[in-house]
Amino acid sequence: MTKQLPHENTRPFLTDAGLETWLLFQQGFDLPYFASFALLNDAKGSTAMTEYFTGFLDLAAKQGTGFVLDTCTWRANPDWAARMGHDLVALEEINAQAVSFAAALRAQRAENADVLINGVVGPRGDGYDPATVMSVVEARAYHQFQVDALSRSGADLVSAITMTNTPEAIGVANAAAKAGIPCVVSFTVETDGKLPTGQHLSEAIAETDAQSEVRPAYYMINCAHPDHFRDVLGDGSWTDRICGLRANASRMSHAELDACEELDDGDPQELGSLYADLRRYLPRLNVFGGCCGTDLRHVSSICHAVHAPQVA
């Protein structure tokens, strides 16, 4: 049976937070290239990730929300995997293993109908810097391998996370269309609320919708603090296409975060309040999670702030 995606109903869905920053800064794991999938075959690493995701799943169950359960595959695409010595045969297995890991977590839930396995597709290049922008055709060809692997392994949807430019986002959407799996696009924005390419968020969403073979199910904003993008959320129906937020805990710019040797985890309570305020600008918003520097504390605060009427 096809599971109902967040944009198809009004109930809230939670996600996890900043997995990679949590593993690196709070748990002390070595993450070459920020690749969390490297811990799937590490006993301590897989145990840590199990405990990490279990906390969020428990929160969602307690608060009666749905949950979008990410696979640890943000770096599990050909170029990044090759840097770590993995060929395409190994990469196919890595993506399948990540879906199986998520499926095992979901299977432990007594009520798992509202837990969606989300196949995460990261950018070909840096998640902050669009130094090289592929054409739509190139992006589709590049990302098709991972999208197909995630789809074949049983993901309910795929999400293009930290997209810095529209051609790559469109390419992932077209790869998903070919694979027959729903797609979500999450754009990264800078401190001025624009994509790293300088494109306005409204224009990026309009272009992706217009040029995708099957337009994305919905859009998200991630890897930026709410203060960075609140002012670009003006009037217009385009904001109806944004259903999810995964903000950073820190107000630092991407350049500052890249150079940061200590975690800036911000203020979890303040972040929750900022999410609640953003609902005034985003009428369809019902997917709530975190990105860099956030953890269970932040998502718990966000959940209580946006879901307060139903909290016991």
Side-chain angles (χ1 to χ4, degrees):
M1 184 178 69
T2 302
K3 292 180 178 290
Q4 193 175 50
L5 300 186
H7 71 295
E8 296 170 325
N9 61 73
T10 58
R11 73 174 305 189
F13 279 73
L14 301 181
T15 77
D16 70 298
L19 171 62
E20 288 80 10
T21 54
W22 182 83
L23 289 167
L24 182 65
F25 289 101
Q26 297 196 43
Q27 301 299 308
F29 286 100
D30 182 28
L31 287 184
Y33 305 110
F34 247 41
S36 55
F37 72 76
L39 299 181
L40 285 170
N41 291 316
D42 177 273
K44 290 184 178 179
S46 62
T47 296
M49 287 197 293
T50 296
E51 293 174 353
Y52 169 85
F53 281 109
T54 296
F56 294 98
L57 286 161
D58 287 346
L59 174 65
K62 179 180 179 181
Q63 302 302 335
T65 73
F67 192 76
V68 180
L69 177 56
D70 281 4
T71 57
C72 55
T73 51
W74 184 62
R75 287 300 200 209
N77 58 52
D79 284 3
W80 289 104
R83 290 181 175 95
M84 300 174 68
H86 301 297
D87 61 16
L88 292 182
V89 174
L91 185 57
E92 171 90 24
E93 176 56 30
I94 286 167
N95 280 278
Q97 185 180 8
V99 174
S100 295
F101 181 81
L105 288 170
R106 180 169 68 180
Q108 296 173 9
R109 320 311 299 176
E111 298 291 337
N112 62 26
D114 294 316
V115 177
L116 302 168
I117 295 177
N118 179 39
V120 172
V121 178
R124 182 175 190 174
D126 192 288
Y128 293 161
D129 180 16
T132 301
V133 177
M134 295 179 284
S135 70
V136 171
V137 172
E138 290 170 333
R140 175 178 178 167
Y142 178 78
H143 287 292
Q144 193 73 61
F145 178 89
Q146 186 182 17
V147 170
D148 285 347
L150 292 166
S151 179
R152 283 194 296 265
S153 300
D156 297 306
L157 70 158
V158 295
S159 289
I161 303 292
T162 61
M163 290 291 108
T164 63
N165 63 92
T166 51
E168 188 164 15
I170 296 165
V172 176
N174 288 349
K178 184 176 181 180
I181 188 170
C183 176
V184 173
V185 169
S186 188
F187 284 117
T188 291
V189 296
E190 298 291 345
T191 55
D192 60 1
K194 296 180 180 178
L195 271 63
T197 57
Q199 187 177 30
H200 193 285
L201 184 59
S202 63
E203 296 172 356
I205 289 174
E207 181 180 346
T208 305
D209 270 349
Q211 296 190 25
S212 297
E213 293 173 11
V214 176
R215 75 176 197 166
Y218 59 90
Y219 292 86
M220 297 181 66
I221 305 171
N222 76 288
C223 210
H225 190 273
D227 284 358
H228 298 164
F229 56 83
R230 183 193 300 106
D231 291 344
V232 306
L233 302 176
D235 295 333
S237 60
W238 69 275
T239 56
D240 289 347
R241 297 287 287 129
I242 300 174
C243 292
L245 290 181
R246 295 189 65 165
N248 286 349
S250 174
R251 287 181 168 85
M252 289 184 184
S253 68
H254 289 146
E256 291 169 329
L257 286 172
D258 228 8
C260 195
E261 296 183 0
E262 295 184 1
L263 182 68
D264 179 3
D265 60 359
D267 182 337
Q269 297 303 314
E270 179 194 39
L271 191 62
S273 297
L274 292 172
Y275 268 64
D277 179 65
L278 286 169
R279 298 183 81 181
R280 296 188 297 136
Y281 305 91
L282 300 170
R284 296 289 303 279
L285 189 62
N286 70 329
V287 182
F288 308 96
C291 202
C292 297
T294 62
D295 54 38
L296 183 59
R297 295 170 300 150
H298 300 78
V299 177
S300 296
S301 175
I302 292 164
C303 181
H304 282 76
V306 303
H307 193 40
Q310 299 180 45
V311 175

